[in-house]
Amino acid sequence: MPSNTLRPRLQLSLGALAVLGEELPSLGGRRLFAASCRESGAELRITLHPAPPEGPSSTALQERVARLRQLAHPALAVPVGTGDLDGRPWVAEVVLRAPTAMQRLGDGGALGVRQGILALRGVTRAVASLHRAGMAHGGLDLDAVHITPSDVQIGGFASTPGNNQRADLDALGPLAWAFFTGDLPDGPVGKLSDHRRGIPAGLDQLVSSLMAADPASRPVKAEAVLGVLDAFPTIQPSSISSFLEGAGRGTRTPRAREAVLLLVLVGLSVLVSSLVLGH
């Protein structure tokens, strides 16, 4: 298809769904475009895949999106439309406003322990729902997971048409490690508790099993991982608890954080005493 005719032909294929915008950088033979929903004005991303066999079939993508809609899981950001352009399937997704996990960790460092558990539980719950339906995400990473104040949203379905449940389970370990340390694992890792203060023993064991060097030693069901995570409380962390647990960039050691807190308390004590004596 001549490149100078692709945009108008894609716009015709989108029809009443969206108004096509500028083309965006993309990889893997796909073409990526900004767009806006005609009905709501929501910001969209249109992914135009290569024709099979390099890309998925339009029928397979349409069936996958239909099954995702039937799940109606609140954490799954299901594409809003699919179609075909001369044998090349396209998929339309709403641009999520919540930051990706990559952006959140880059801006604020590691999540607090309770927030990390909440985020990992949200991802695992969504994965378990997919797997129960005989589906998979197939491309879980820090860019597919979006962190909200109370849960997560998972996107990226337009660019991951595969159905690899094992890949989903293998992705949980690196995601967990990044949530609690602020960085993806680089080579073999030890215990999470050696890198982060305040890690519950059960969480330490779970992350170790997810990160096991031998894939055969890792959990084989998302439900099993979810069972462990559901045993932890869901209380939202306070600023002080997050500080002591080491949330953020981790530039202070646990002992240094305690020293800073002690200095703050001493300073407040001196201030109160001076005010009392002044009267």
Side-chain angles (χ1 to χ4, degrees):
M1 179 191 311
S3 59
N4 61 339
T5 67
L6 187 143
R7 285 181 58 87
R9 292 172 67 83
L10 179 57
Q11 180 63 77
L12 285 172
S13 184
L14 290 170
L17 175 65
V19 176
L20 197 63
E22 66 178 355
E23 185 165 5
L24 304 172
S26 59
L27 298 172
R30 297 186 296 267
R31 303 284 292 271
L32 186 65
F33 297 85
S36 60
C37 178
R38 287 187 186 272
E39 181 177 350
S40 67
E43 187 178 358
L44 304 178
R45 290 289 184 271
I46 311 297
T47 301
L48 179 63
H49 287 279
E54 289 78 13
S57 72
S58 297
T59 300
L61 273 179
Q62 290 168 359
E63 290 177 351
R64 187 182 191 216
V65 170
R67 294 179 66 190
L68 286 170
R69 286 175 179 162
Q70 290 176 350
L71 282 181
H73 193 285
L76 300 177
V78 180
V80 296
T82 63
D84 182 273
L85 178 61
D86 297 335
R88 299 184 64 177
W90 58 260
V91 189
E93 291 183 299
V94 174
V95 175
L96 300 177
R97 293 303 179 188
T100 67
M102 180 70 79
Q103 293 168 334
R104 167 59 184 82
L105 297 176
D107 292 341
L111 303 179
V113 172
R114 292 177 183 84
Q115 186 186 12
I117 292 173
L118 193 69
L120 185 59
R121 178 189 291 143
V123 173
T124 306
R125 186 167 289 149
V127 167
S129 179
L130 284 169
H131 290 190
R132 283 194 296 270
M135 305 175 68
H137 185 281
L140 277 178
D141 58 22
L142 294 176
D143 287 319
V145 176
H146 296 250
I147 304 293
T148 72
S150 60
D151 205 345
V152 297
Q153 290 179 288
I154 299 175
F157 289 98
S159 57
T160 57
N163 192 30
N164 189 338
Q165 294 189 0
R166 183 67 257 177
D168 288 352
L169 291 168
D170 289 342
L172 292 178
L175 284 174
W177 190 267
F179 288 168
F180 295 110
T181 69
D183 292 302
L184 286 168
D186 184 14
V189 297
K191 296 176 63 177
L192 182 59
S193 57
D194 293 337
H195 298 263
R196 177 69 184 272
R197 183 185 180 89
I199 298 296
L203 178 63
D204 208 15
Q205 295 170 359
L206 174 64
V207 175
S208 292
S209 68
L210 290 171
M211 294 292 294
D214 181 6
S217 299
R218 299 171 193 163
V220 296
K221 294 286 186 182
E223 296 283 5
V225 179
L226 186 59
V228 176
L229 293 170
D230 278 342
F232 295 106
T234 58
I235 300 173
Q236 290 293 323
S238 66
S239 298
I240 292 178
S241 66
S242 293
F243 176 80
L244 291 175
E245 288 168 355
R249 293 189 177 280
T251 54
R252 296 189 182 98
T253 63
R255 189 175 299 276
R257 286 192 296 273
E258 292 170 354
V260 171
L261 183 60
L262 179 60
L263 288 173
V264 171
L265 294 175
V266 170
L268 289 174
S269 177
V270 171
L271 177 60
V272 171
S273 297
S274 65
L275 292 174
V276 172
L277 293 176
H279 289 286

